[in-house]
Amino acid sequence: MYEDGEDLTQEQIDYFLERMNSGEEVEAGSDVHRLMTAASERAMRITSRMNAAFSSLSDTRAQLEELWRCELPEGVGVFPPFTTDCGLNTHVGEGVFINAGARFQDQGGIYIGDRALLGHNCVIATLNHDMDPAKRANMLPAPVRIGCDAWLGANVTVLPGVTIGDGAVVAAGAVVTKDVAPNTVVGGVPAKFIKAC
């Protein structure tokens, strides 16, 4: 299915994304798990190059288009360093800004709405491990959805399966374990409702 160092074919990418987006458990050592490793190697090659030799924001944008395999919408900006351990399942809207130090684990799918802002060092995770110690290396993908005009402060962590509503604000340092209602402010560990905005 995949040999170390090989590039992924379109057929392999399609199969991988179909499995990840199904939400089915990924068994350690399976063909899908090996494709996950291949996607990680590809992402590390691109992001290492992007982060090691900054030349311009337009160059960063071009490398993100290579990483995410799409033409970026108007006004999308990312300040390096930026890392991801997949890069094949991130979807961003127009005017999205991702500040320096962001880390994406996008195997399960990351969807970021128009004009959303992500502060320094945000972490978005879309994989959980199985709770059974005998199957602990298995993974469970679940998407993260960030609404239009949402704002995540610095050092926010968003866990798998969470939806952050349109216009919501997540205070710096929060760990978001549950859905956030639109137009609300949440903060803390775990994040809790603070007020409407």
Side-chain angles (χ1 to χ4, degrees):
M1 159 90 37
Y2 163 76
E3 296 298 325
D4 187 41
E6 284 184 354
D7 285 330
L8 292 167
T9 66
Q10 185 61 51
E11 183 180 355
Q12 288 170 322
I13 291 169
D14 291 344
Y15 171 70
F16 172 72
L17 291 175
E18 179 182 327
R19 284 295 311 278
M20 290 297 101
N21 293 332
S22 75
E24 295 174 21
E25 186 168 0
V26 175
E27 188 175 331
S30 66
D31 285 345
V32 177
H33 189 247
R34 285 191 288 278
L35 289 174
M36 189 180 291
T37 300
S40 293
E41 288 182 1
R42 174 187 171 273
M44 286 186 278
R45 282 192 298 271
I46 296 169
T47 58
S48 292
R49 183 178 70 233
M50 179 174 70
N51 295 328
F54 177 81
S55 63
S56 68
L57 290 175
S58 60
D59 181 60
T60 298
R61 183 180 174 89
Q63 292 187 68
L64 281 172
E65 289 181 339
E66 176 188 356
L67 176 67
W68 291 339
R69 301 180 72 248
C70 68
E71 186 175 332
L72 291 181
E74 188 67 31
V76 170
V78 176
F79 282 3
F82 170 81
T83 57
T84 182
D85 59 359
C86 180
L88 297 172
N89 208 2
T90 295
H91 314 272
V92 299
E94 292 184 8
V96 167
F97 178 69
I98 301 167
N99 217 328
R103 296 180 181 272
F104 285 11
Q105 181 193 58
D106 69 327
Q107 289 90 336
I110 295 174
Y111 301 84
I112 304 174
D114 295 344
R115 301 169 305 281
L117 306 175
L118 278 65
H120 288 93
N121 303 315
C122 282
V123 174
I124 302 177
T126 66
L127 290 176
N128 269 321
H129 286 280
D130 197 296
M131 292 303 292
D132 178 352
K135 300 191 301 179
R136 185 61 46 85
N138 291 2
M139 287 166 275
L140 301 159
V144 167
R145 301 179 189 280
I146 299 170
C148 296
D149 302 301
W151 173 23
L152 280 59
N155 297 303
V156 165
T157 298
V158 183
L159 297 185
V162 166
T163 295
I164 296 173
D166 293 346
V169 176
V170 180
V175 177
V176 187
T177 62
K178 297 180 181 174
D179 290 353
V180 175
N183 301 308
T184 60
V185 179
V186 300
V189 180
K192 291 183 170 50
F193 175 82
I194 296 174
K195 64 180 181 179
C197 60

